[in-house]
Amino acid sequence: FDKSASRDDNISDNSSNPPSRLSVIKNVARTFIDQLPDGQFEATMGFFNKSFLQYDITGFTTDKDSLKNELNNYNSGGGTNYNAAFLGYRQNNDGGAFSLVSKAQYKPVIIFMNDGYHQENSQHKAIDVGTILNKASATNTTIFSLSIGPIDPDPSDSSLDPNSKNTLRNLSTATGGKYYENLLNEAQVQEIYSQILQSAQGFGTPAPCYIDFESDCNDGEIELTYSGFSAPVFDTQIYTISDNLKPNLDITDRTFLEVNPILNQAKEIN
């Protein structure tokens, strides 16, 4: 998440009292977290201006409450630097979002939310497209980029890269993702986050899951079908019921009488 000072600006929708960009992003992020499929995701978040920050969460988690609590630390201040976001600052390109991606267990997806243009100065150089794409390729990462609010840069600020939005578009499409811009109300942003979630659920190898099924007391075979890919995947598994799970009937020694109804005779059985 971009945490530059412009986050406090209005999102520029057509309502009489437009909300701030920061409040919109927090609302959308909370809804997105709620929509994450239980038991089938891991997520984390970071915040950037001219550096890259994490607060309470230092890696991926499946705890939705922890993710929401992390948003409470999200505030605005500073400028916007894409390199800090993706690669970190003064970390030999080993920081930023890709430092988190390196800890991912499954197919990684970066959702890059910003509202400003990349800012260059003596310490923060031009967007390092080559390094970002190399890291995305090496980790099989897909990047979705969202630019919230109006897209025109401040003409009085010569440090802003006027081509940075096009660069974001190219980065996103080159990794198999998408670029969205001129997002001027919460409903737009919410819809795009929902689209991204739907797309991401079809990426990579699905997270492991557990299957419960009923059987009798005998060993057997079960056929499994997964329909999450473009074509269904089948597999067959042989299962064995452990002896300690099978029912056991204990009978004390006793004598039974077997009656032959034809002969009308009884016979003792021990």
Side-chain angles (χ1 to χ4, degrees), residues 30-83:
R30 290 190 181 97
T31 301
F32 180 80
I33 292 168
D34 284 333
Q35 292 175 341
L36 291 170
D38 292 331
Q40 300 181 47
F41 81 94
E42 58 172 12
T44 189
M45 64 182 69
F47 310 92
F48 74 95
N49 41 33
K50 293 182 180 180
S51 59
F52 185 84
L53 304 171
Q54 283 193 290
Y55 298 102
D56 298 327
I57 299 177
T58 57
F60 286 92
T61 181
T62 58
D63 187 337
K64 293 183 178 182
D65 289 335
S66 295
L67 291 167
K68 290 179 183 179
N69 289 336
E70 185 81 336
L71 287 171
N72 296 331
N73 297 310
Y74 183 18
N75 50 33
S76 59
T80 299
N81 187 268
Y82 294 0
N83 289 335

Side-chain angles (χ1 to χ4, degrees), residues 11-187:
I11 194 173
S12 301
D13 68 2
N14 296 322
S15 66
S16 59
N17 185 26
S20 71
R21 301 171 187 183
L22 182 63
S23 65
V24 167
I25 293 169
K26 284 186 173 183
N27 290 341
V28 171
R30 290 190 181 97
T31 301
F32 180 80
I33 292 168
D34 284 333
Q35 292 175 341
L36 291 170
D38 292 331
Q40 300 181 47
F41 81 94
E42 58 172 12
T44 189
M45 64 182 69
F47 310 92
F48 74 95
N49 41 33
K50 293 182 180 180
S51 59
F52 185 84
L53 304 171
Q54 283 193 290
Y55 298 102
D56 298 327
I57 299 177
T58 57
F60 286 92
T61 181
T62 58
D63 187 337
K64 293 183 178 182
D65 289 335
S66 295
L67 291 167
K68 290 179 183 179
N69 289 336
E70 185 81 336
L71 287 171
N72 296 331
N73 297 310
Y74 183 18
N75 50 33
S76 59
T80 299
N81 187 268
Y82 294 0
N83 289 335
F86 287 109
L87 306 173
Y89 177 54
R90 292 179 177 173
Q91 294 169 292
N92 297 319
N93 293 335
D94 289 328
F98 281 104
S99 69
L100 304 179
V101 164
S102 64
K103 304 172 185 176
Q105 296 185 68
Y106 311 112
K107 155 75 178 176
V109 174
I110 294 175
I111 303 177
F112 182 80
M113 171 66 78
N114 74 100
D115 72 343
Y117 281 72
H118 175 75
Q119 191 171 33
E120 299 181 31
N121 54 38
S122 59
Q123 292 181 318
H124 297 84
K125 306 300 182 182
I127 303 171
D128 193 344
V129 174
T131 300
I132 294 172
L133 286 179
N134 286 339
K135 285 184 174 289
S137 176
T139 56
N140 191 29
T141 297
T142 299
I143 299 172
F144 291 92
S145 300
L146 289 75
S147 294
I148 190 172
I151 61 172
D152 294 329
D154 182 355
S156 64
D157 191 344
S158 60
S159 69
L160 298 180
D161 175 7
N163 295 317
S164 53
K165 299 302 181 184
N166 286 331
T167 302
L168 265 188
R169 179 182 288 105
N170 294 336
L171 283 172
S172 300
T173 55
T175 63
K178 291 184 178 181
Y179 170 76
Y180 307 89
E181 66 178 20
N182 203 29
L183 306 178
L184 303 180
N185 60 67
E186 184 171 323

